[in-house]
């Protein structure tokens, strides 16, 4: 086995033409189903779960990283795929120290990408780990993102895993539909919301997304549950203050006919740890938020593995 550059897609030189959507141009055709290579590579992963939300900034990435750590504490082998190509954050939130992914050639001279290792041995793959200049914005459009996702699913040496958690970009649009199309055996979605996100159109969009998957792709995907983030703030005197109102999680879970997996409090130490790249779940392991993540992990395990 020897080192080599594994990437068919050169991230800093987005290609022009070749099926990439241009403004006002023809839409990118949906990707074909999973390739035989993806099917083979994904066989060793028991459960694949995607974390998404109706809109951005509600804490999906923080929830994905913390749930990954909580499941690892419960003895599960975990991988995390960061599909947010424009705002990757998984390496930072999972305490990854290395700058770039490496690769080796296998016996057939095919490149295999080796995931980075985060805390608790969590395997992490992110576009942030293939860009040497972290300040260059990623300007890929639809077709290139699909190709990169395909390569991450085909060529990464994930090994045997219990769970692969996928941190999705904001929204319930093409990226999420494309993932469903190319990833075989996706066990389901976890929706993240905040208490005030009760606007009818966000809820309706989430329902519509699940219906589209069923209708367009003929796949009956499960909604594993809803996690409400930033639910309340606990004051020094122990009182809970519902700063963003109440009811978003209950409303979305009812609308999606699924369970509410838990409520994560608003805690300024969360934003601070995420910014510093110190996993909150470890640094504040006795906090109400960390304890709630363990309960959520137990509920996910109960539902998925029963
Ligand atoms: N419960 C919380 N308490 C305090 N800060 C939080 C909490 N959850 C998330 N944050 C902070 O809110 C910001 C947004 O969180 P995060 O990046 O996880 O959201 P996201 O839904 O993944 O965003 P995007 O849609 O852009 O991918 C981050 O700065 C994060 O540290
Ligand atoms: Mg995010």
């Amino acid at each position: 086995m020897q080192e080599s550059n594994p990437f068919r897609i050169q991230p800093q030189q987005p290609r022009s033409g070749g099926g990439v959507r241009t403004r006002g141009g023809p839409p990118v055709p949906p990707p074909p189903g999973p390739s035989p290579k993806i099917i083979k590579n994904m066989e060793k992963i028991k459960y694949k779960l995607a974390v998404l939300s109706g809109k951005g900034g509600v804490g999906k990435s923080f929830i994905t990283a913390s749930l990954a750590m909580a499941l690892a504490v419960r003895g599960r082998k975990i991988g995390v795929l960061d599909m947010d190509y424009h705002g990757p954050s998984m390496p930072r939130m999972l305490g990854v120290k290395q700058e770039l992914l490496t690769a080796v050639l296998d016996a057939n001279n095919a490149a295999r990408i080796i995931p980075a290792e985060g805390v608790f041995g969590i395997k992490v793959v992110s576009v942030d780990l293939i860009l040497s200049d972290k300040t260059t914005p990623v300007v890929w459009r639809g077709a290139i993102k699909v190709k990169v996702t395909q390569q991450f699913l085909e060529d990464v040496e994930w090994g045997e895993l219990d769970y692969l958690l996928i941190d999705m970009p904001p929204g319930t649009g093409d990226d999420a539909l494309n993932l469903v199309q190319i990833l075989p055996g996706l066990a389901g979605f976890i929706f993240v919301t905040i208490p005030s996100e009760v606007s009818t159109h966000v809820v309706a969009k989430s329902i519509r997304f699940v219906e589209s998957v069923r209708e367009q792709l003929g796949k009956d995907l499960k909604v594993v549950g809803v996690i409400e983030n930033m639910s309340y703030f606990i004051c020094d005197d122990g009182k809970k203050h519902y700063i963003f109102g109440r009811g978003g999680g209950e409303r979305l879970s009812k609308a999606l006919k699924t369970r509410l997996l838990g409520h994560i409090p608003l805690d300024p130490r969360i934003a601070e740890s995420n910014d510093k790249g110190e996993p909150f779940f470890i640094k504040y392991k006795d906090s109400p938020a960390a304890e709630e993540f363990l309960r959520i992990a137990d509920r996910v395990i109960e539902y998925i593995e029963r």
Side-chain angles (χ1 to χ4, degrees):
M1 301 257 257
Q2 66 187 91
E3 302 268 334
S4 84
N5 176 7
F7 300 106
R8 296 195 295 267
I9 304 289
Q10 292 302 319
Q12 279 144 326
Q13 299 152 19
R15 295 187 236 166
S16 57
V20 177
R21 188 203 294 259
T22 49
R23 243 171 230 146
V28 175
S35 67
K37 266 174 95 179
I38 294 184
I39 294 173
K40 186 159 182 288
N41 206 32
M42 290 289 112
E43 265 171 4
K44 287 181 275 176
I45 304 175
K46 283 191 202 146
Y47 312 109
K48 299 118 191 160
L49 295 175
V51 180
L52 78 169
S53 67
K55 64 176 191 192
V58 297
K60 277 180 305 302
S61 300
F62 166 63
I63 300 260
T64 307
S66 305
L67 181 59
M69 291 183 267
L71 286 166
V73 165
R74 291 299 191 235
R76 303 307 190 272
K77 279 195 189 152
I78 309 295
V80 172
L81 173 60
D82 189 349
M83 261 192 68
D84 192 345
Y85 299 135
H86 303 289
S89 56
M90 285 302 98
R92 191 167 25 93
M93 291 192 187
L94 286 162
V96 171
K97 297 276 181 266
Q98 81 194 60
E99 286 284 304
L100 293 171
L101 294 176
T102 55
V104 292
L105 292 180
D106 69 9
N108 303 319
N109 242 10
R112 302 292 293 162
I113 301 168
I114 309 301
E117 199 172 298
V119 292
F120 299 119
I122 295 171
K123 294 182 175 177
V124 185
V125 168
S126 168
V127 77
D128 208 29
L129 298 168
I130 60 174
L131 300 174
S132 45
D133 176 2
K134 314 285 182 205
T135 57
T136 305
V138 168
V139 291
W140 303 335
R141 289 184 177 153
I144 291 185
K145 287 191 278 184
V146 169
K147 285 223 165 78
V148 173
T149 307
Q150 271 168 334
Q151 196 181 355
F152 282 158
L153 298 176
E154 282 179 359
D155 297 343
V156 170
E157 191 57 51
W158 292 103
E160 305 244 334
L161 292 178
D162 293 306
Y163 289 87
L164 179 68
L165 299 186
I166 302 161
D167 183 31
M168 299 296 294
T172 42
D174 280 1
D175 291 321
L177 271 180
N178 288 341
L179 176 75
V180 178
Q181 184 81 335
I182 59 178
L183 176 58
L186 185 64
F189 294 107
I190 292 177
F191 275 86
V192 178
T193 187
I194 54 173
S196 56
E197 198 182 82
V198 289
S199 72
T200 310
H201 76 274
V202 172
V203 174
K205 266 203 284 190
S206 303
I207 298 173
R208 188 70 208 117
F209 170 74
V210 175
E211 283 171 355
S212 308
V213 169
R214 287 183 184 139
E215 285 162 16
Q216 292 180 30
L217 307 178
K219 295 192 183 187
D220 191 15
L221 279 174
K222 295 187 186 83
V223 182
V224 176
V226 171
I227 299 175
E228 188 186 85
N229 190 24
M230 308 188 193
S231 294
Y232 51 84
F233 176 75
I234 307 174
C235 260
D236 289 344
D237 61 8
K239 255 196 191 157
K240 287 181 181 175
H241 296 272
Y242 295 87
I243 293 173
F244 295 138
R246 297 176 84 159
E250 276 83 3
R251 177 157 182 210
L252 185 61
S253 52
K254 270 193 193 135
L256 292 170
K257 298 190 182 68
T258 185
R259 62 204 59 67
L260 185 55
L261 291 165
H263 298 85
I264 303 298
L266 187 69
D267 185 337
R269 295 173 301 176
I270 291 176
E272 187 196 302
S273 324
N274 287 338
D275 288 346
K276 285 191 185 155
E278 299 171 333
F280 172 87
F281 181 83
I282 295 180
K283 192 168 180 197
Y284 299 103
K285 63 180 186 329
D286 298 323
S287 63
E291 286 171 359
E292 181 72 345
F293 276 117
L294 285 174
R295 285 189 287 271
I296 292 173
D298 291 338
R299 286 176 198 132
V300 169
I301 288 171
E302 219 277 307
Y303 174 71
I304 295 279
E305 300 181 20
R306 84 185 156 203

